[in-house]
Amino acid sequence: CSAAVAARNRARRREAPARPVIFVGTGTCGLGAGAGKTLAAVRAWLAAGAAEADVIEVGCIGLCVEEPLVDVQLPGRPRLSFARVTEKKVVPLLNAVFSQAPLPAEPLGQFRQEGAEAWPGVRPLDEHPFFAPQTRWVLANCGIVDPSSLDEYLARGGYGALAKALRTMTPPDVCREIELSGLRGRGGGGFPTGKKWTIANKQAADQKYMICNADEGDPGAFMDRAVMEGDPHRLLEGLALAAYAIGASKAYIYTRAEYPLAIARVTAAIARATAYGLLGPNILDSGFSLDVIVKQGAGAFVCGEETALIHSIEGRRGMPKPRPPYPAVSGLFGKPTVINNVETLANVPGIVMQGAAWFASVGTPSSKGTKVFALSGNVARTGLVEVAMGTTLRQIVFDIGGGIPGDRAYKAVQIGGPSGGCIPTSQLDIDIDYESLKTVGAMMGSGGLVVMDDGNCMVDVAKFFMDFIQKESCGKCIPCREGTRRMLEILESLSRSRRLEQQFEALERFRAVMNLEHLAKVIQDTSLCGLGQSAPNPVLSTLRWFRDEYEAHVYDRRCDAKACRELLVYEIDTTLCKGCGICVKQCPSEAIVGAPKSPHHIIPERCVACGSCVDACNLDAVLVH
């Protein structure tokens, strides 16, 4: 009987398929790169009778820059992974793989598979520079398993932790195990998860609630979305364990309506788990019941703050409220409530199954386990990265990310989203953990990590994030509502040309700049919620590490990165200009003058710094400084 079960699980894991399997990455990033057309081409190739094979849609494996990704597994051979398989590349690729002829493109790698005949000359996928330095716990199944298959998740040990907890552990036991593991909230603040659960567990109430915060409002963050799309049952198992630990019988997954694929896959997973008796009433005959509801939000950034999120679920406007009482004591509908984000909950099944010591064996003394980052920006290999706490920023950007493309120089990384900070070259070897990031004016946040090269202006970067925060402020408290607006106005004045100023505006601009840091600290000290308190972080961190750029903007009205358009000065190199007149026709302000076939000139007072002349000139005669 056990041999039959093992064989069945092996088949469900597709470790020895009887017929070929074609895997297509159809997460949001894959679909955005054209995976929908790739999938249609694969099915058309099979429908034409070229071969017989199963087609499986999987989530994102993390290497987003190489999408669309297609894997092919033949009986007796390991799974091969191919990058950038567009619609037109499908037929020659599949013809070559199925006939085992020379491949038209070099594979990304092959999966390790015991007992299978390895493809000669193809490296294991886990030795790819992007994957080799990673420690993939939360993302272990993403891009590998069929997210619609509960059987496959079960075959890989899924819901084993829930069964263990329900049969052998009391709710306080689960709280204690999570507390001993050192797991901290992955949503931003880093509060000890087990401690939060213990507080809620000790509350006497006829109803308690468990909430998964899957709203993910930071620009450039897509970690939670990838887990929901690629491994939804891991999230549901972690959610069920958390609900059991605190004594909740109702759980909400709060996510933004802009995640339709994630919502569809999580909703389908809830239905399947309920049908199997893994959610719903009397789970596994334990007497524990859990009803899970997916709640769609409107995408407000402030709803990432837990009290605002609670208001949104209750049907009210998403606005923070003062604490205490904290949600663990009085939260949703006035009942004890715990809120954790997707990544936090996705860590829970492994901790319960493997034990606290297993989880705590990785990381730093104050930050245990792994952290998932959304690596984006000016870096060669963008995507989802999961590394052990304590990994240096340099390793993430240069080893995993492949460094800065286009022969540009690294300048900074924005970490922690709009509430985070910028980390310069001098701090590249800092360890990634909650405490060390605070020492350089940054924070872990939910895990957005945006790389910037020397073409970025840090004043402009601060202005971008302040504009985002100011627009997303709920407006409830004056320091955040008015203070962030004033900070944005000051930053906008730094990139304003003298020719656009009147009367005493230049003096007022200078006076405002002198008070910028003081204003930022007042907002930090007096805002109502954590989002307002951390709103000035991008300005303070760029002031700390890139003060010379601020001074160039303030004193010289100069942007060395040439990103602040109004500060740019355009002139024509008369030794290169042939007087063709193309730039004259393109100039919207009639700022270029000159006789035909003679060198032209730009009248500074008329120039609006639109850059049309640069685009039009075929001789590179227009200089910008």
Side-chain angles (χ1 to χ4, degrees):
C1 180
S2 60
V5 171
R8 184 174 69 246
N9 287 340
R10 186 173 168 82
R12 288 173 174 171
R13 292 192 296 267
R14 297 183 180 84
E15 293 177 356
R19 60 188 247 155
V21 185
I22 302 172
F23 303 85
V24 182
T26 56
T28 296
C29 55
L31 293 171
K37 294 179 179 179
T38 299
L39 179 63
V42 168
R43 287 178 170 153
W45 182 79
L46 293 173
E52 290 187 357
D54 296 325
V55 179
I56 305 296
E57 295 184 50
V58 297
C60 175
I61 200 170
L63 193 53
C64 304
V65 70
E66 300 289 3
E67 297 279 7
L69 291 168
V70 173
D71 298 352
V72 183
Q73 185 175 10
L74 302 181
R77 305 299 292 269
R79 181 169 163 179
L80 270 179
S81 185
F82 295 91
R84 306 193 185 201
V85 184
T86 57
E87 179 185 12
K88 295 180 180 179
K89 296 179 181 178
V90 167
V91 172
L93 175 65
L94 295 182
N95 284 337
V97 175
F98 275 73
S99 64
Q100 301 192 38
L103 300 173
E106 183 180 354
L108 276 175
Q110 61 181 319
F111 287 69
R112 296 183 186 272
Q113 184 177 328
E114 187 177 346
E117 180 187 355
W119 293 89
V122 180
R123 68 184 170 193
L125 187 62
D126 57 18
E127 292 181 5
H128 186 284
F130 181 80
F131 294 105
Q134 296 191 43
T135 303
R136 294 172 67 87
W137 288 357
V138 170
L139 302 179
N141 291 336
C142 288
I144 297 174
V145 305
D146 178 359
S148 67
S149 174
L150 175 55
D151 286 339
E152 185 170 354
Y153 183 70
L154 291 171
R156 294 175 181 271
Y159 290 103
L162 179 61
K164 175 185 176 181
L166 294 179
R167 290 169 181 164
T168 66
M169 302 173 74
T170 65
D173 289 339
V174 178
C175 293
R176 186 161 47 251
E177 195 73 15
I178 299 301
E179 196 162 358
L180 289 172
S181 73
L183 176 65
R184 297 173 64 173
R186 299 303 198 243
F191 190 83
T193 304
K195 184 176 180 180
K196 183 187 290 188
W197 290 10
T198 300
I199 294 171
N201 173 270
K202 291 180 178 179
Q203 304 303 310
D206 58 345
Q207 177 69 62
K208 296 180 183 179
Y209 295 98
M210 185 67 213
I211 298 176
C212 170
N213 181 358
D215 196 50
E216 200 166 48
D218 290 0
F222 49 93
M223 302 77 61
D224 294 350
R225 187 197 72 206
V227 173
M228 291 191 289
E229 292 176 355
D231 196 8
H233 285 288
R234 181 185 294 269
L235 166 61
L236 294 181
E237 185 176 10
L239 185 65
L241 283 163
Y244 174 70
I246 69 170
S249 59
K250 198 166 189 176
Y252 288 87
I253 298 176
Y254 184 91
T255 188
R256 49 189 50 222
E258 294 98 321
Y259 282 1
L261 181 59
I263 291 169
R265 290 186 175 174
V266 168
T267 302
I270 292 171
R272 292 188 182 94
T274 303
Y276 274 57
L278 297 167
L279 292 176
N282 194 22
I283 299 173
L284 299 177
D285 295 323
S286 64
F288 168 62
S289 301
L290 182 64
D291 183 24
V292 180
I293 300 169
V294 176
K295 172 70 174 179
Q296 298 184 41
F301 176 68
V302 72
C303 285
E305 198 278 335
E306 56 185 19
T307 59
L309 185 154
I310 287 171
H311 284 163
S312 180
I313 293 177
E314 292 174 340
R316 297 189 283 169
R317 182 179 176 184
M319 298 181 74
K321 68 177 183 180
R323 299 175 298 176
Y326 291 92
V329 176
S330 177
L332 186 63
F333 304 117
K335 304 296 184 180
T337 304
V338 166
I339 303 174
N340 291 124
N341 82 328
V342 171
E343 186 182 346
T344 308
L345 294 172
N347 274 293
V348 172
I351 296 172
V352 173
M353 200 67 190
Q354 305 288 341
W358 165 80
F359 186 83
S361 66
V362 170
T364 66
S366 62
S367 303
K368 305 296 185 182
T370 64
K371 182 71 189 77
V372 180
F373 292 98
L375 184 62
S376 61
N378 303 122
V379 64
R381 291 189 287 266
T382 57
L384 279 178
V385 174
E386 185 176 4
V387 294
M389 290 284 194
T391 302
T392 66
L393 192 60
R394 185 185 299 275
Q395 288 175 287
I396 295 176
V397 174
F398 289 93
D399 295 344
I400 298 175
I404 315 300
D407 297 322
R408 303 302 295 257
Y410 169 92
K411 190 169 195 177
V413 157
Q414 168 72 14
I415 187 170
S419 301
C422 295
I423 301 179
T425 305
S426 62
Q427 302 298 320
L428 260 176
D429 292 308
I430 190 171
D431 292 341
I432 297 292
D433 70 12
Y434 290 96
E435 272 63 46
S436 62
L437 290 175
K438 291 178 183 177
T439 65
V440 295
M443 62 184 291
M444 187 81 71
S446 60
L449 204 158
V450 184
V451 182
M452 291 169 278
D453 62 24
D454 54 5
N456 290 99
C457 166
M458 302 314 293
V459 175
D460 189 57
V461 168
K463 183 167 62 176
F464 168 81
F465 282 108
M466 190 53 58
D467 178 63
F468 176 86
I469 289 169
Q470 199 278 319
K471 288 177 179 176
E472 293 291 339
S473 172
C474 73
K476 185 174 183 177
C477 70
I478 292 174
C480 180
R481 184 184 70 233
E482 301 299 331
T484 56
R485 178 185 301 172
R486 183 61 184 134
M487 287 187 73
L488 177 60
E489 290 171 352
I490 295 171
L491 292 173
E492 288 174 338
S493 74
L494 295 186
S495 55
R496 189 166 57 231
S497 171
R498 283 190 181 91
R499 65 177 177 270
L500 300 177
E501 291 180 338
Q502 299 176 355
Q503 296 181 338
F504 301 108
E505 286 182 351
L507 181 61
E508 291 171 354
R509 166 183 177 271
F510 189 78
R511 184 175 62 181
V513 170
M514 297 297 290
N515 290 313
L516 184 60
E517 280 189 83
H518 174 70
L519 175 58
K521 290 175 181 176
V522 169
I523 296 171
Q524 284 184 325
D525 293 339
T526 58
S527 291
L528 173 61
C529 76
L531 296 182
Q533 292 162 10
S534 58
N537 284 356
V539 174
L540 290 174
S541 70
T542 50
L543 268 172
R544 177 179 177 182
W545 300 112
F546 302 96
R547 185 171 290 269
D548 57 328
E549 292 196 29
Y550 278 86
E551 291 175 349
H553 282 68
V554 173
Y555 300 121
D556 303 327
R557 308 260 184 167
R558 187 184 78 246
C559 176
D560 293 330
K562 296 181 173 59
C564 299
R565 196 184 72 180
E566 291 183 14
L567 297 184
L568 300 181
V569 176
Y570 291 78
E571 63 179 3
I572 295 176
D573 187 339
T574 55
T575 63
L576 296 176
C577 180
K578 304 299 182 183
C580 66
I582 296 177
C583 60
V584 177
K585 297 176 182 178
Q586 296 299 319
C587 180
S589 59
E590 299 181 350
I592 304 176
V593 296
K597 298 184 180 181
S598 298
H600 286 36
H601 300 273
I602 296 176
I603 302 173
E605 291 76 13
R606 292 185 185 176
C607 179
V608 293
C610 66
S612 297
C613 53
V614 177
D615 298 333
C617 184
N618 297 320
L619 302 174
D620 296 327
V622 181
L623 306 178
V624 185
H625 54 84

